[in-house]
Amino acid sequence: MPPVGTVRTTCAYCGVGCGVSATPQADGTVAIAGDKLHPANLGRLCVKGSALGETVSLDGRLLYPQVREADGLRRVSWDVALDQMAAKWRAVIDEHGPDAVALYVSGQLLTEDYYVANKLMKGYVGSANIDTNSRLCMSSAVAGYKRAFGEDLVPLCYDDLELADMVVLVGSNTAWCHPILFQRILKAKEARPNMKLVVIDPRRTATCELADLHLPIKSGTDVWLFNGLLSYLSRIGAVAPDFVLEHTNGFDAALAAASIDCADPAAVAKVCRIDPALLLEFYEAFAATAKTITAYSMGVNQSSAGTDKVNAIINCHLIGGRIGQPGMGPFSITGQPNAMGGREVGGLANMLAAHMDLERADHRDVVQTFWDSPAMADKGGLKAVDLFQAIEDGKVKAVWVMATNPIVSLPDADQARRALAKCELVVASDIMQNTDTNAYAHVLLPALGWGEKDGTVTNSERRISRQRAFLPAPGEALGDWKIISLFAQRMGYAGFDFPDAAAVFDEHARLSGFRNHAEDIPRAFDMSGLAGLSGDAYQELEPVQWPARRDAAGVIHSEARLFADRRFAHGDGKARFIATATRAPANAVCEDYPLTLNTGRVRDQWHTMTRTGKSHTLADHISESFVDIHPQDALLHGVREGELARISSAWGAMVARVQHGGGIARGSVFIPIHWNGQTSSDARVGALVNPVVDPVSGEPEFKHTPVRIDQFRVNWHSFILSRTEVNLDSVAHWTRIQGKAFARYELAGRNNIGDFGAWARALLGVADLDADWLEYEDKTAGVYRAVHVVDDRIEQCIFLSPRQDMPSRAWLASLFAKDQLSEIDRVGLLVGMPVEKGADTGPTVCSCFGVGRNTICNAIVEQNLETVAQVTACLKAGGNCGSCVPEIKKILVHTRAELAAG
Amino acid sequence: MNTSEAPPARQALVVIGNGMAGMRTVEELHKLAPDLYDITVFGAEPHGNYNRILLSPVLAGEKSMDDIMLNTREWYVQHGITLHAGDPVEHIDRKKRIVRARSGLEVRYDRLLIATGSKPFIIPVPGHQLRGVLAFRDIQDVETMLAMARNHRHAVVIGGGLLGLEAANGLQRQGMSVTVVHVGDALMNQQLDKPAALLLQKALEAKGLQFLMNAHTAEITGTDRVTGVRFKDGTEIPADLVVMTAGVRPNIELAKAAGLHCDRAIVVDDTLQTYDPRIYAVGECVQHRSATFGLVAPIWDQARVCGAHLAGAGVRRYVQQTSPTRLKVTGVDLYSVGDFIGGEGSEDLVLRDARRGVYKRLVLKDNRVTGAVLYGDVKDGPWYFGLIQNRTDISAIRQNLLFGEALSARAA
């Protein structure tokens, strides 16, 4: 049973990791508030977090294990599903070796889930073929930190953002993607107006609106910019020579590499396509501000030079020794709620566990000894993009996808689809029944979702927080750690008999401290202080940053920021400058694909929308996928704002609505990542993205794909609001948008519709000819509107036009909140807008001329009319057939009597 | 001061027909030249002038005879008009310019106005002359029906047009069980398209009327008075009263006998003058540019033009215009005007709300409204009628046109 009352937990979304207070209500809803005691957010929540309560319904949930058979999915018991999986895995491993199976997991998993998954693959199956969607998100940041510091270490904490004198946001639309951090920065800036905010982003995003300086550099030129900065800092002497000498290696090589083509700011400005004065302003400000934080996200990481970008940034901090002190340092802000937890347990194919390395025999020995496991992977496994290539090539024959949707989110996503279609066994653990990926799964396993599952997550500042359950487990869903453990046990592996999540956490904490001494295998990642917690203590665990060690007295010591002692994790204790030679994105624009595609998030959606897509509140901000393009490019390529366009690359194509005003520079387009086969007919931007990866991190280049854009000509536009699901198989283009008590569909088609009424009834599934069905038809103009009413309540409506000149959806949407339509509402239904009562003319007296009683009375009084003839002369009433003349006479007598009575 | 001079001898105007068309013409004439003529009016019915259109509400019990009187006998006296009610004219001597009534009374005219209206068409099936077979034309018919309704049960109305439905509704309101017999498959096919006709039929069925569609009357049965109606397919239904509402024929025997040029009706020019320059004609007995008339609106227009010419102030020309039709059945709102069928080159706007009982259809041609059928919500009928008459280009308001004047104004 879930606990009652208010439960403190952690948000399901981004890497800020805000504390959330969830209070289940008697009516089944959940009241959501920010947790005032959580250090990440201190009670604040962004719009996505605030709407979490709207996402916990069981609509569309995957509730039972299912197995695909010839005629579709069949519900089975856990035993049957797991036995079937285990038999196949054993057969594949026996015949093809352990590298023929793989896990593809997710930053949505809790640390406990992640830990067990990693343990299964690396210690028992004996393969490192476990990778995660975090590969797509921040693996370049990991690789950059490891190269510079010797371990994946975020040196600073959120408080530093408030202590800095300058915050440089690189490739990060923080205002939309990490709203609470952005609010903290803004608040600090409000208190100290001298604090500088610099944004480096090819797009003029919402984040730029409050920046002191925006450098709209050309996509992919970050290394030029920061190499230029390194060179500049060196030249003007903004250097900490002692720090560089005593605590770093590689400075000369890095400076030499930077100086090849970035020594001249004017040349750098030209490559970056920005005003040289702007560039120098930034360089000067950076040189002059000791307490500077450079924070970066996907704009840096998702690049074929992502790791070099990270190191180019870190180099600029090392040269001035700007690290390890309050208010300064290079700060990777992660995208997912538990990307960091995944890094800690070794959830990437090139990591082991607890920040140890696969390649090092001594590290492998530590882990294998601790696990007492029968096998141990000894080389890196397949990273995400390579993994799906290997699946398509038939090298990997069984894949288990957990809590992620690779057919939507991977680059060259159609390749991922081909891969899964060919794979012998695809297992998907998910919370939703229908996803693009589940369509290719042979086995579906129901997992617990946010609010139901229980464990820990780590945010971008190394802070471990509890995610706690406050809802009962629905159907037969289980926690991911439990599912993996059950599977491992069926595979015959010992070491998976965890009684609960706390036991997993305890093992993870103990491993982090195992042989973690200066004289043995020292690691900065150490949360051994959290080992040995009682069940209650785990349940009550307050947010805590690692390292977290216990002193002799048993008191836990946690570190807010690292490297204060200027000791780094490389063997010699020094940090490393990395020489970052400039290189352009792998695929350049060309005649066929003349525009650069940039992808990213919108403010109110998350990933592939399985959760945020359920919220009507979040649907209002941006309801359809779009392609943002500069108006001059639109003109050049023959597309128009508000209309549909087909965007294609050498890898795939999609359709989205053209918009301007997203702050895009000429030569680029921007498309959001969220829409997929469940929410739209053809809006998976992943299909277009080039499958190029960074050579070090393996992170794909999501921010730079050459594309073209063409008009997507349609014959008609339509929208539907419906309480029930609509069959859209026959529609060329559609997007589904969640509303309150209904779903909205925006449609467009290329076919010629013969019989509008029959078409609409088929779409809405209204076969009953006696249904309460209102319709309006202007056949030659191609305009049709129909409303289906059931028991005086609006059930569905559909509007069709050859142009996009249809009424606003807002008023119609509001009618879905009513249990009964009023008469005046009903009149307005087909108009699509409210019909104002207006001046009430009263009941009709003269039908020939449509004159009402009130109109006649008013005329009699105002114009002092005395005879029927005068009334007729004035209002026409009574002037045709004369049948109302007697009535007009009566009205005259009555009204004049009233007048006389005064 | 000179009062001895006698007034000049006035010209004589004789009006044949004491109905709405003739008397409206006299009223129009009076507005312009009250003293120009000595006026004599002959009427076949023994009443003053009444509003024939309102016989339906009288039959339905919604209005009394007093309510529908337009010009009482006192009015004739006050206006110095000689009225011979119940004494129809039987002969016109155009050479002598004299009319002779059934009573033998002869009156000379300088100007003659023929407004003899029309006669109901009685289908000449066997039995059509039996007692209990009536038309629905005048006060006498209504009084007969009201009397029969008091002690008879079964009424059959032959003809599902406007008049037939009003008669059926009235008889039903008077307590009779009424069956409407119609040869076509849709009621009011002169005024409604099929969907509207079906809605109307449903609504009237809900009120208790029964319908036999596609039914061809073979015989009216009975020996002395009517007892039933038999159809070509052999079926028979009981009837104590049969009302024939299968159309009207212009009443032109008198004019024909006088040698006036007639076609289907008395042929008049744009001033309502017949081929005899001293003789004018108005109303349902005239044929103007090959059209004949049955609705009141064009007749009012004719009266205005004819009155002006009789007054000697005649510059007006009669121009035919579409006129709207409505059905006077309480609780049924129906409005139809113009070319509501459409066809090649025309476009349709259609709105259906069956539950609310609303159907609207506009026919457009070259961005102009040419016809409208409104059922259930007719308040914008006159507006559409205006758009038709003014040939208004509706391109700019097309989107909301069918939703009415208020919304169209808002959208434009």
Side-chain angles (χ1 to χ4, degrees), chain A residues 462-650:
Chain A
R462 290 172 281 107
R463 189 179 300 278
I464 298 166
S465 302
R466 292 274 286 112
Q467 260 198 23
R468 297 182 175 93
F470 54 87
L471 294 168
E476 293 180 2
L478 295 173
D480 287 287
W481 67 266
K482 181 74 179 173
I483 300 173
I484 301 160
S485 296
L486 289 172
F487 173 75
Q489 286 169 323
R490 267 180 180 66
M491 291 288 287
Y493 302 144
F496 292 90
D497 51 351
F498 302 104
D500 50 26
V504 182
F505 182 81
D506 181 63
E507 185 175 306
H508 170 50
R510 282 189 288 115
L511 174 57
S512 74
F514 183 63
R515 292 173 56 185
N516 190 349
H517 314 291
E519 57 278 10
D520 197 341
I521 313 282
R523 287 101 67 190
F525 173 66
D526 187 349
M527 47 178 278
S528 57
L530 304 176
L533 297 178
S534 68
D536 283 351
Y538 175 73
Q539 191 58 36
E540 301 302 321
L541 183 67
E542 286 296 318
V544 55
Q545 282 177 290
W546 63 259
R549 302 183 182 90
R550 238 176 251 270
D551 63 15
V555 178
I556 296 169
H557 293 274
S558 179
E559 291 177 42
R561 55 185 71 81
L562 307 176
F563 313 137
D565 57 359
R566 311 206 149 186
R567 276 204 59 80
F568 297 89
H570 282 297
D572 56 8
K574 293 184 177 182
R576 285 189 190 154
F577 282 90
I578 304 295
T580 52
T582 55
R583 65 176 186 277
N587 290 302
V589 294
C590 58
E591 203 176 315
D592 286 342
Y593 300 106
L595 297 164
T596 302
L597 167 67
N598 186 358
T599 67
R601 296 186 193 289
V602 300
R603 192 190 73 194
D604 290 359
Q605 294 296 344
W606 172 258
H607 279 194
T608 64
M609 302 171 75
T610 40
R611 184 174 291 283
T612 46
K614 280 186 164 187
S615 160
H616 62 87
T617 307
L618 299 180
D620 286 346
H621 179 234
I622 292 171
S623 52
E624 275 188 288
S625 185
F626 61 86
V627 52
D628 195 57
I629 186 171
H630 193 282
Q632 282 171 305
D633 281 338
L635 204 62
L636 192 64
H637 295 279
V639 296
R640 284 174 62 178
E641 185 169 34
E643 294 184 353
L644 294 171
R646 182 173 188 273
I647 310 97
S648 52
S649 73

Side-chain angles (χ1 to χ4, degrees), chain A residues 55-326:
Chain A
T55 69
V56 297
S57 81
L58 296 184
D59 295 344
R61 279 291 293 270
L62 172 59
L63 296 173
Y64 305 97
Q66 289 157 49
V67 170
R68 191 173 301 280
E69 294 179 349
D71 56 347
L73 289 164
R74 183 171 64 93
R75 179 180 165 182
V76 296
S77 68
W78 274 107
D79 282 339
V80 168
L82 294 171
D83 283 345
Q84 193 169 323
M85 286 169 61
K88 180 69 182 177
W89 272 52
R90 225 175 278 118
V92 169
I93 293 168
D94 287 349
E95 194 179 338
H96 304 284
D99 288 334
V101 297
L103 296 186
Y104 185 61
V105 302
S106 162
Q108 310 293 305
L109 293 180
L110 303 180
T111 302
E112 290 77 359
D113 306 323
Y114 240 138
Y115 177 85
V116 178
N118 190 55
K119 181 178 179 182
L120 166 70
M121 280 308 290
K122 289 172 183 155
Y124 289 79
V125 173
S127 166
N129 278 352
I130 168 172
D131 212 42
T132 156
N133 64 2
S134 294
R135 176 72 60 200
L136 318 178
C137 171
M138 47 81 230
S139 54
S140 295
V142 174
Y145 277 148
K146 281 186 78 171
R147 288 204 301 190
F149 306 140
E151 206 178 312
D152 173 20
L153 300 170
V154 180
L156 62 176
C157 62
Y158 295 160
D159 290 349
D160 287 322
L161 292 168
E162 291 157 346
L163 299 171
D165 293 326
M166 179 159 94
V167 174
V168 184
L169 297 170
V170 192
S172 171
N173 186 6
T174 320
W176 279 14
C177 302
H178 303 98
I180 296 302
L181 279 193
F182 191 65
Q183 291 307 315
R184 286 182 66 164
I185 294 169
L186 285 192
K187 228 168 182 173
K189 190 167 153 52
E190 229 168 70
R192 294 185 292 122
N194 286 337
M195 180 179 167
K196 235 178 158 61
L197 179 62
V198 180
V199 178
I200 297 169
D201 197 312
R203 289 193 296 148
R204 188 169 180 86
T205 63
T207 305
C208 302
E209 298 305 320
L210 296 149
D212 299 289
L213 200 59
H214 172 216
L215 273 59
I217 62 166
K218 185 186 169 193
S219 288
T221 61
D222 312 54
V223 173
W224 277 268
L225 180 75
F226 285 97
N227 276 358
L229 176 59
L230 187 74
S231 175
Y232 172 86
L233 294 172
S234 164
R235 201 162 49 247
I236 67 160
V239 182
D242 294 348
F243 177 85
V244 171
L245 195 64
E246 289 168 31
H247 301 290
T248 70
N249 286 317
F251 174 67
D252 293 340
L255 184 63
S259 301
I260 293 171
D261 54 354
C262 301
D264 174 15
V268 170
K270 196 169 178 196
V271 172
C272 295
R273 240 190 246 161
I274 54 172
D275 181 353
L278 210 58
L279 181 84
L280 279 174
E281 190 183 344
F282 167 58
Y283 283 1
E284 282 161 14
F286 195 97
T289 315
K291 285 164 77 173
T292 292
I293 289 176
T294 311
Y296 46 94
S297 296
M298 307 322 140
V300 165
N301 299 339
Q302 292 178 330
S303 160
S304 59
T307 310
D308 278 357
K309 288 184 185 179
V310 170
N311 285 111
I313 290 169
I314 296 175
N315 286 346
C316 294
H317 279 267
L318 291 177
I319 192 176
R322 290 172 182 176
I323 194 161
Q325 303 299 317

Side-chain angles (χ1 to χ4, degrees), chain B residues 23-80:
Chain B
M23 293 323 294
R24 175 60 80 103
T25 307
V26 169
E27 285 180 31
E28 295 285 355
L29 167 63
H30 251 269
K31 278 188 206 162
L32 299 172
D35 300 323
L36 192 56
Y37 292 104
D38 281 325
I39 300 176
T40 306
V41 176
F42 287 91
E45 291 185 66
H47 310 284
N49 175 35
Y50 63 92
N51 188 337
R52 197 179 300 283
I53 296 166
L54 297 187
L55 288 176
S56 294
V58 172
L59 179 62
E62 289 162 358
K63 283 193 164 71
S64 69
M65 290 292 183
D66 286 348
D67 283 336
I68 72 168
M69 291 314 294
L70 291 173
N71 304 105
T72 57
R73 285 174 183 273
E74 291 74 45
W75 178 86
Y76 292 85
V77 173
Q78 278 163 18
H79 288 77

Side-chain angles (χ1 to χ4, degrees), chain B residues 83-157:
Chain B
L83 172 65
H84 301 288
D87 190 8
V89 170
E90 292 191 327
H91 180 73
I92 302 169
D93 184 337
R94 286 166 56 206
K95 277 191 181 137
K96 292 185 182 161
R97 303 212 307 266
I98 286 171
V99 300
R100 187 174 67 242
R102 181 179 291 169
S103 62
L105 178 65
E106 291 190 347
V107 178
R108 199 195 65 86
Y109 66 82
D110 295 304
R111 291 283 186 278
L112 179 64
L113 174 62
I114 303 178
T116 46
S118 62
K119 293 186 299 190
F121 174 60
I122 303 293
I123 308 170
V125 287
H128 73 269
Q129 67 285 67
L130 287 172
R131 280 215 294 144
V133 179
L134 312 180
F136 179 27
R137 175 69 190 173
D138 54 29
I139 286 180
Q140 175 64 43
D141 294 332
V142 171
E143 281 173 347
T144 309
M145 284 190 253
L146 287 173
M148 302 243 342
R150 277 195 281 279
N151 43 24
H152 289 84
R153 175 96 190 101
H154 296 290
V156 172
V157 175

Side-chain angles (χ1 to χ4, degrees), chain A residues 770 772 774-778 780 785 805 823 826 830-831 834 836 847-850 879-881 883, chain B residues 51 54 63 67 296-297 300 326 347-353 355-356 382 398-400 402-403 407 410:
Chain A
D770 287 331
D772 188 354
L774 297 73
E775 63 186 347
Y776 166 78
E777 182 169 357
D778 181 348
T780 37
R785 299 168 174 191
D805 54 354
E823 191 66 18
R826 193 171 167 114
L830 292 174
V831 196
E836 286 154 28
S847 300
C848 294
F849 295 110
N880 189 42
C881 77
S883 60
Chain B
N51 188 337
L54 297 187
K63 283 193 164 71
D67 283 336
V296 71
W300 283 172
R326 293 175 315 108
E347 306 174 37
D348 270 357
L349 305 183
V350 183
L351 185 151
R352 299 184 188 89
D353 181 351
R355 193 58 53 96
R356 204 158 61 93
R398 177 171 178 146
Q399 180 126 347
N400 276 345
L402 196 48
F403 300 112
L407 281 164
R410 238 207 290 172

